[in-house]
Amino acid sequence: MTTERPAPAVQAAPLSTLPIALDAVGGDFGAAPNVEGAVEAARAGVSVLLVGDRVKLHAELGKHTGSSALPIDVVDAPDVIGMNEHATDVRSRPQASINVCTRLVKEGQAAAAVSMGHSGATMASALLTLGRIKGVERPAILTHLPAQGGFTTLLDAGANADVRPAYLAQWAQLATVYLKVLENRENPTVGLLSIGEEDHKGSQLVLEAHALLRQLHGQGINFYGNVEGHNVFKGTTDIVVTDGFTGNVVLKLAEGEAKVLFGWVREALKSDLKSKLGGLLARDALRGLAERMDPSTYGASILLGVRGLTLIGHGSADARAVKNALLRAERAHEGSLVTRLEAAFANRQA
């Protein structure tokens, strides 16, 4: 039932009853798409804590018929870190909505924190509040890119521009456990993004990371070798690791090219009568293709390596993306992802 809740400080709820904390005022469009997505997720069975200005959130909830009967609560957070503000503001603004979300996770009152708001602030809040998994030097943003046969898992997608070879090896292990837990891929392959498939090609970072990953092959990592840019979309490997600068460029290039490509397709299908008829015949197939290439299909990217589930979405996310992010967070929680990541790194260190 929809009620207002203060930020609680009571004993942790049982695993199966924990809600997902949503930064419901974050993002380019504020509360509206966040609340709509939360309502859709709640109708699918996910319990949600809407974190933000209680007046705005109750007003948005009132626009959705039947929302009062859904497993949605409101947690008041009078402050929000805007998209144009500094990520470091999380240190001095404890009542900002993203800080309240990560505290709820830390206190055992929420299963995960999800935000479509300031990505830098979300990462900073998660690190400051939740800390890192022991053995992980830097958390990474993991995302999915559509590829032949399904999708390719890419990381880092933007958390770390400057990296060390050891980070890439750690991210390979994080992603391996992630795919085992959430996607039932028993022995996923890992590729290292480079300018050539040969072992001797690449920057000094790539060369050193390649040697380290090769050494760790068979010890929690199934290392394939170097992969080039086109291999990402061929699905040559299940996982592709790279630095956050390159990964973010790959991600945005893929999303931008998909939009341009579909624009070309729409123009071509409207060029003459014969093309319009062909477009009608192919409409269902094109819709399926658009679904696969739409970033909102995956909802949000997960910040792997922190001691608590944190998911980061696009600032321009719509209600569908918010819903899918909440569903993904629920799956990760039910699969005990963080616990299994901690166990994997504990075994590695032992």
Side-chain angles (χ1 to χ4, degrees), residues 2-347:
T2 306
T3 57
E4 179 188 335
R5 289 173 49 170
V10 297
Q11 293 183 351
L15 182 69
S16 60
T17 62
L18 283 176
I20 310 297
L22 174 64
D23 179 5
V25 289
D28 295 338
F29 306 116
N34 284 300
V35 172
E36 183 180 351
V39 168
E40 292 177 3
R43 286 174 176 155
V46 178
S47 297
V48 183
L49 295 177
L50 295 176
V51 180
D53 184 291
R54 64 176 182 269
V55 175
K56 291 181 180 179
L57 295 181
H58 280 302
E60 282 297 326
L61 276 171
K63 298 176 183 177
H64 299 275
T65 304
S67 61
S68 61
L70 295 172
I72 299 176
D73 290 335
V74 172
V75 176
D76 189 38
D79 188 16
V80 58
I81 296 177
M83 302 296 278
N84 296 321
E85 296 184 275
H86 294 291
T88 53
D89 286 355
V90 296
R91 293 179 177 272
S92 58
R93 295 163 64 178
Q95 294 307 307
S97 54
I98 186 56
N99 280 331
V100 175
C101 285
T102 54
R103 279 204 306 274
L104 288 167
V105 176
K106 176 74 171 180
E107 295 170 1
Q109 299 304 310
V114 175
S115 178
M116 306 295 162
H118 196 308
S119 58
T122 303
M123 288 186 285
S125 181
L127 273 171
L128 288 169
T129 306
L130 303 172
R132 292 175 284 112
I133 291 173
K134 188 175 182 180
V136 176
E137 294 178 72
R138 295 282 183 86
I141 296 176
L142 178 151
T143 193
H144 294 315
L145 293 174
Q148 290 181 7
F151 62 83
T152 297
T153 298
L154 175 76
L155 70 169
D156 178 22
N160 307 275
D162 299 306
V163 306
R164 299 176 181 176
Y167 300 172
L168 300 178
Q170 293 164 16
W171 299 342
Q173 187 170 8
L174 287 169
T176 296
V177 175
Y178 171 89
L179 287 182
K180 287 180 179 179
V181 172
L182 262 65
E183 304 296 339
N184 296 316
R185 298 194 183 182
E186 187 53 39
N187 193 28
T189 52
V190 176
L192 174 64
L193 190 62
S194 185
I195 58 173
E197 296 185 11
E198 297 83 0
D199 294 358
H200 63 275
K201 288 189 175 180
S203 64
Q204 189 61 35
L205 168 68
V206 169
L207 294 174
E208 293 181 23
H210 186 282
L212 184 55
L213 287 163
R214 182 68 69 193
Q215 183 181 4
L216 294 173
H217 177 69
Q219 302 178 46
I221 296 173
N222 181 10
F223 184 50
Y224 170 88
N226 286 352
V227 294
E228 297 182 67
H230 61 84
N231 295 118
V232 174
F233 305 102
K234 286 183 177 179
T236 302
T237 59
D238 298 299
I239 299 162
V240 172
V241 291
T242 187
D243 63 272
F245 182 91
T246 305
N248 192 262
V249 171
V250 171
L251 173 63
K252 291 178 179 176
L253 177 64
E255 293 176 348
E257 180 64 13
K259 290 180 180 179
V260 171
L261 178 60
F262 270 96
W264 289 343
V265 171
R266 281 193 295 268
E267 289 176 6
L269 292 176
K270 295 177 181 178
S271 60
D272 53 44
L273 180 59
K274 186 182 295 185
S275 297
K276 290 179 180 179
L277 291 173
L280 289 173
L281 293 173
R283 182 170 52 187
D284 290 342
L286 290 172
R287 282 177 178 170
L289 181 59
E291 168 81 10
R292 288 184 60 190
M293 299 183 72
D294 186 352
S296 66
T297 299
Y298 302 107
S301 300
I302 189 166
L303 183 64
L304 279 186
V306 292
R307 298 185 67 242
L309 289 173
T310 306
L311 284 84
I312 304 170
H314 281 283
S316 59
D318 57 13
R320 180 169 177 267
V322 174
K323 172 191 174 182
N324 287 335
L326 293 167
L327 292 174
R328 191 175 179 194
E330 178 82 351
R331 285 180 57 215
H333 172 61
E334 290 178 347
S336 301
L337 177 61
V338 173
T339 300
R340 294 173 74 167
L341 289 170
E342 289 179 317
F345 274 80
N347 291 337

